[in-house]
Amino acid sequence: MKLADNKATLSFSNGKPSVELPVYQGSIGPDVIDIRKLYGQTGMFTYDPGFLSTASCQSAITYIDGDKGELLYRGYPIEQLATQCDYLDTCYLLLNGELPNDSQRNEFHGLVLKHTMVHEQMQFFLRGFRRDAHPMAVLTGLIGALSAFYHDSTDITNPKHREIAAIRLISKLPTLVAMAYKYGMGQPYMYPRNDLSYAGNFLRMMFGTPCEDYVVNPVIERAMDRIFILHADHEQNASTSTVRLCGSSGTNPFAAIAAGVACLWGPAHGGANEACLNMLEHLQANGGVAKVGEFMEQVKDKNSGVKLMGFGHRVYKNYDPRAKLMQETCNEVLAELGLEKDPLFALAKQVEKIALEDEYFVERKLYPNVDFYSGIVQRAIGIPVSLFTGVFALARTVGWIAQLNEMLADPEYKIGRPRQLFTGSPRRDIA
Ligand code: CMC
């Protein structure tokens, strides 16, 4: 870490001596005040629930400039990656720091596409779930269970094990997500086809049946690939921080990724795409475009408990760049499928238009996030709403792994152990 020219001085109004704290500079973005010695020097902790002002680690993977609406993976703008690279190139970049050259590309693509099959016993494990189980419940279990099937890559301290686990997770996630879907549908699982692209193979495992050949539509394949790229990493969000914290105890990579999946499920995080589509469908069933104004009044009323799902972001205080790309993909997919007049898309655009002009949203800098349009794209492709977050988990797995491996390789890494401001009863005795 690079020391900044200045230092921070923390002074106290009660006469306690002030303390000087080092300041570090990133390559871009805000400087950080190093408070690691604060407790030792003052006997005080800092208090920052929700990590509003806390950098939990140093990272060289993903950078977000929330005010500019900029997202960079290893320095490359998301717009360039989404239009000039595919998902597996993006995975290579996130894991290794550079885009692959031709031979690295062939080798990496080959490696991932040849490890797509899961242990045959996994399907018996899957059968233990009720057919109507939520796919995220199933996926949390299946991914955690990988550690029981692949003993030879569970030592998180061994770089070779970490590498094998990374390839296994990236390769097998599409298979597991498709298996969870097929199981719920009561259809036979489709074994992966390694001659297809990563996205094409996923589409075939989802929508193919053994009864007939499945032909991958290149427009849908590209859309799926873009959904994966846009969700691949997003610096220290809740699920990524969960993976880091979980992995910091030295647990195995499959367990750490399963923890990330569990966190992602929540509606304030990855579950927002599902919640957003449910919201739009509810709105459509209750008056559609004509009732958008009334609905927006409810959203603005704090007592209603209604939020505009797919809007707002902790970091983006300008447009989420992923939402723009997703809207573009939405147009392409709907045109390809002859769904240009999709009423939900029209409704979503109307909601966005009203929100972008409304003082409430403008003042709070609330803009559409990636999930606002991703649900409409996925629904048009035929992915059921309850599987949206599963698709997000599939795509984010590479980001979680890259972040986990970065943490483990950091010489300053320690088990994560936050402190607290205790507000309960002091010691007392049972009468
Ligand atoms: N609808 C209505 N009001 C909102 C919304 C919303 N979607 N989001 C934030 N606000 C209001 C909030 O009530 C608060 O108002 P006030 O200052 O008057 O109290 C203000 O805007 C600031 O919000 P906040 O809750 O302090 O912001 P946060 O950074 O803690 O929360 C968020 C960020 C994403 C959890 C929140 O915006 C939200 O719940 N959005 C809807 C869920 C969603 O779409 N999540 C997906 C995030 S992107 C995908 C991902 O990375 O997982």
Side-chain angles (χ1 to χ4, degrees):
M1 283 193 293
K2 187 172 165 236
L3 270 171
D5 298 337
N6 58 332
K7 286 189 172 160
T9 307
L10 186 63
S11 56
F12 303 91
S13 57
N14 63 1
K16 270 191 169 187
S18 58
V19 286
E20 229 176 44
L21 300 164
V23 174
Y24 292 105
Q25 256 177 351
S27 45
I28 34 174
D31 294 351
V32 298
I33 304 170
D34 181 352
I35 55 162
R36 281 175 292 182
K37 298 212 170 108
L38 186 70
Y39 179 59
Q41 289 177 3
T42 66
M44 276 190 254
F45 299 139
T46 55
Y47 180 64
D48 186 18
F51 301 105
L52 296 175
S53 296
T54 298
S56 61
C57 61
Q58 50 172 317
S59 179
I61 302 175
T62 293
Y63 177 75
I64 304 173
D65 186 324
D67 293 324
K68 274 205 231 158
E70 183 178 66
L71 169 62
L72 312 174
Y73 292 166
R74 301 281 190 186
Y76 293 109
I78 191 69
E79 293 81 0
Q80 292 180 23
L81 291 165
T83 50
Q84 295 172 44
C85 298
D86 71 9
Y87 177 68
L88 286 186
D89 291 345
T90 308
C91 289
Y92 186 95
L93 172 71
L94 288 168
L95 292 170
N96 300 298
E98 295 298 334
L99 282 166
N101 61 27
D102 285 348
S103 74
Q104 289 164 332
R105 186 173 197 275
N106 287 341
E107 194 190 337
F108 184 74
H109 282 227
L111 203 59
V112 171
L113 297 175
K114 284 197 178 70
H115 288 85
T116 49
M117 220 157 55
V118 295
H119 193 293
E120 194 66 3
Q121 192 80 13
M122 291 247 15
Q123 54 170 292
F124 301 108
F125 179 75
L126 177 54
R127 281 186 202 165
F129 287 97
R130 282 172 54 137
R131 294 234 179 231
D132 60 357
H134 193 285
M136 287 302 279
V138 175
L139 283 173
T140 313
L142 285 181
I143 295 165
L146 288 174
S147 48
F149 287 94
Y150 299 102
H151 298 283
D152 58 341
S153 51
T154 52
D155 179 3
I156 210 163
T157 60
N158 181 331
K160 194 73 207 157
H161 279 214
R162 297 207 295 265
E163 202 183 306
I164 298 171
I167 297 298
R168 282 187 169 146
L169 279 158
I170 296 166
S171 304
K172 295 181 199 312
L173 250 289
T175 314
L176 294 179
V177 173
M179 280 172 77
Y181 169 65
K182 289 292 196 191
Y183 180 69
M185 294 287 288
Q187 287 186 7
Y189 308 125
M190 294 293 284
Y191 285 103
R193 276 264 308 269
N194 296 348
D195 57 329
L196 295 175
S197 72
Y198 189 82
N201 176 45
F202 175 63
L203 288 167
R204 183 182 163 276
M205 287 191 292
M206 284 287 295
F207 304 119
T209 69
C211 314
E212 53 196 54
D213 286 342
Y214 178 83
V215 181
V216 178
N217 176 327
V219 175
I220 307 300
E221 183 182 22
R222 182 71 205 139
M224 204 68 243
D225 196 75
R226 180 173 283 191
I227 291 175
F228 295 159
I229 294 176
L230 298 185
H231 287 89
D233 194 45
H234 215 224
E235 52 120 310
Q236 309 311 320
N237 56 82
S239 58
T240 302
S241 298
T242 301
V243 169
R244 280 187 179 254
L245 191 59
C246 183
S248 78
S249 72
T251 191
N252 71 74
F254 303 110
I257 301 302
V261 176
C263 176
L264 187 75
W265 191 357
H269 193 6
N273 49 17
E274 179 175 346
C276 177
L277 202 89
N278 288 338
M279 175 192 81
L280 291 172
E281 278 180 340
H282 177 79
L283 199 53
Q284 180 64 19
N286 290 280
V289 172
K291 290 281 182 186
V292 171
E294 213 174 281
F295 173 72
M296 296 303 256
E297 289 311 310
Q298 271 184 26
V299 167
K300 292 190 283 180
D301 174 7
K302 287 275 150 59
N303 300 320
S304 72
V306 179
K307 268 195 169 177
L308 185 56
M309 301 314 288
F311 256 72
H313 200 275
R314 169 64 59 80
V315 185
Y316 293 118
K317 299 303 172 195
N318 195 323
Y319 212 93
D320 178 344
R322 302 169 302 170
K324 267 188 203 146
L325 292 158
M326 196 56 87
Q327 196 190 29
E328 215 176 89
T329 297
C330 204
N331 279 320
E332 278 166 27
V333 167
L334 296 180
E336 173 68 15
L337 300 176
L339 297 171
E340 296 94 332
K341 295 208 165 55
D342 180 46
L344 232 49
F345 190 41
L347 188 63
K349 282 192 188 157
Q350 181 67 7
V351 169
E352 179 182 345
K353 185 170 178 298
I354 294 183
L356 293 183
E357 288 166 0
D358 190 301
E359 199 48 33
Y360 175 95
F361 295 92
V362 174
E363 227 172 51
R364 291 171 178 76
K365 300 186 173 170
L366 300 172
Y367 295 92
N369 58 51
V370 66
D371 290 326
F372 194 64
Y373 289 106
S374 75
I376 298 172
V377 179
Q378 293 195 58
R379 192 185 70 134
I381 292 176
I383 296 171
V385 177
S386 62
L387 205 69
F388 289 0
T389 317
V391 170
F392 189 160
L394 182 175
R396 182 57 58 85
T397 293
V398 66
W400 289 329
I401 297 168
Q403 301 268 352
L404 180 64
N405 288 350
E406 181 183 65
M407 177 189 77
L408 295 168
D410 183 346
E412 293 196 352
Y413 131 73
K414 282 184 185 314
I415 184 169
R417 192 2 178 137
R419 308 303 290 257
Q420 63 173 5
L421 174 67
F422 182 66
T423 56
S425 168
R427 186 200 154 109
R428 54 182 166 163
D429 296 317
I430 298 170

